[in-house]
Amino acid sequence: MGVKICKQAPSLTHLFFADDSLLLLSVRKDEAIEVRNILSNYEKCSGQTINKDKSAILFSANVTNDVKGSFLHHIGITSEVFNEKYLGLPVFIGKSKAKAFAFLKQKIWSHIQGWKEKLLSKAGKEILIKAIAQAIPVYAMSCFYLTKSVCDESTTMVLRYWWAQQEKHRKIHWLGKEKMMKPKSKGGLGFRDLHAFNIAMLARQGWRLIQHPQSLCAQILKARYYHDSDVLHYHSRSGMSYSWRSILKGIELLKKGIIWRVGDGEQIDVWDDPGLPRKSNRFIKSRRGPILIRKVCELIDPITNRWDASLIQSMFCQEDANVILKIPLREDEEDFIAWHPDTKGRFSVKSAYNLYIYEVEQEEGMQGQSGGDITCFNWKRIWKYQVPNKMKHFIWRLAHNSLPLRQNIKRRGVKLDTICPMCHRLDEDGGHLFLKCKCVRQLWRALDLEEARLDFFLLTACQQNIFWRRYGN
């Protein structure tokens, strides 16, 4: 009794999920009778009765109807299960991934529809989006790659809700989703990039395969896909399951963050494995040439158990040699893999997420190109102000020049008079409305803040007006 997915894999007889018991067996008469006898003995010993009306069988696709009927008769169960989902996840995933994961978008949409009748502030919407809407697909993300299109469509739904107020009202999105998904410390609202988070969650699955190779899941996957290699050196091929194909997406991210810690040096390849603890490049930069040395253990003096300094300096460039000689050696320990972005070498979804965002920005050339007024901005101070959250959101929008002022509306292609409706003299923009307008100046004087207004006035950018160091608190 039991099922093997391949010759090298361990035999699976049963699995327990929550309050479900799954028995795995071949579709044969003798195994059906054996299971029926086991269940009968269980009833006699425990005094409990198996509810066969709540029991069902799921056959593989290559079982004919005649064989199904015979098997159901011998095992004593009459129903066959046709569930599309089990424990909230799809049982079968076809060619259309958008169709397979459409239920996630529908679930997000149904929650948003219930919120639209509530007249919530932007701060209230932020909490709902982060705590509920963006948390809905997390469970599925830990097992499957949802595709970028599904993630982008889900993000678009929640951002449309954030900018609008009532159902069927389409409001202007004053800021792009890329800015809103940045951390609050970098000028965004901290909304989660679902695609990046999906990859980070799958990277955690890959990390578990590395750290726990004796787990049942790791043994089965290794037997099926990489029995003659390891998970980090596996290459995609046809015939893979979608769950394994999804994990490989996370493993690609893992490769950008793992580093080998040196023990005895037996497992680390000098030229192909990342072992140098530096941020820019964890691989050897020196040219290999005709050198025959391949394992790190060959760079260690067997007598002193220290680095062979003369050999290392003769093999590698000065930069590589200096880094290698500073790496501590762990005697009587095996080499092991650590997570380089964390100082303690521990993997976390958060650090994997940040690594993915950093890599994307590097590839797209976005790093440091947001503009000087934004990158040097102390955005954290907005969220530390002792004021209601809706006021923080107002200040944040003012700092981004994303308030619906007349000049901003005109930039959106709307034809209107941009003259200030209070003084009827100059165009209405952030600087004029809050600092320069004569009516506003009177208000500053009435509050005895004229000196502060003059200091603000000396600053040219509306964003800088908020963070002048004398009046930031």
Side-chain angles (χ1 to χ4, degrees), residues 47-115:
Q48 297 177 333
T49 302
I50 303 294
N51 189 341
K52 295 184 179 180
D53 293 333
K54 290 186 177 180
S55 302
I57 296 180
L58 176 65
F59 293 97
S60 60
N62 60 348
V63 180
T64 63
N65 291 330
D66 293 340
V67 175
K68 290 180 182 179
S70 175
F71 189 83
L72 290 170
H73 171 73
H74 288 103
I75 203 171
I77 296 176
T78 58
S79 59
E80 181 182 353
V81 65
F82 296 98
N83 291 343
E84 293 183 358
K85 294 198 292 284
Y86 178 67
L87 295 178
L89 296 177
V91 176
F92 301 107
I93 298 179
K95 292 183 178 180
S96 176
K97 307 305 181 290
K99 184 178 179 180
F101 300 114
F103 72 96
L104 293 173
K105 294 191 295 181
Q106 182 60 38
K107 196 171 182 180
I108 294 172
W109 177 250
S110 63
H111 278 77
I112 290 176
Q113 292 300 103
W115 299 338

Side-chain angles (χ1 to χ4, degrees), residues 258-326:
I258 61 171
I259 187 170
W260 280 92
R261 301 299 189 198
V262 182
D264 54 21
E266 296 287 345
Q267 301 180 55
I268 307 175
D269 189 294
V270 175
W271 309 100
D272 296 334
D273 289 334
L276 302 187
R278 55 189 177 194
K279 185 177 181 180
S280 58
N281 186 1
R282 290 163 289 118
F283 292 88
I284 294 292
K285 293 182 179 179
S286 309
R287 295 183 62 183
R288 181 174 181 178
I291 298 174
L292 298 178
I293 291 177
R294 188 165 187 83
K295 294 295 182 180
V296 169
C297 60
E298 300 175 63
L299 302 177
I300 302 174
D301 190 322
I303 300 176
T304 62
N305 285 325
R306 304 289 182 185
W307 290 112
D308 190 333
S310 59
L311 175 62
I312 291 173
Q313 290 175 349
S314 64
M315 283 180 54
F316 306 106
C317 65
Q318 191 64 41
E319 180 183 354
D320 287 344
N322 291 339
V323 175
I324 294 172
L325 293 174
K326 292 179 182 179

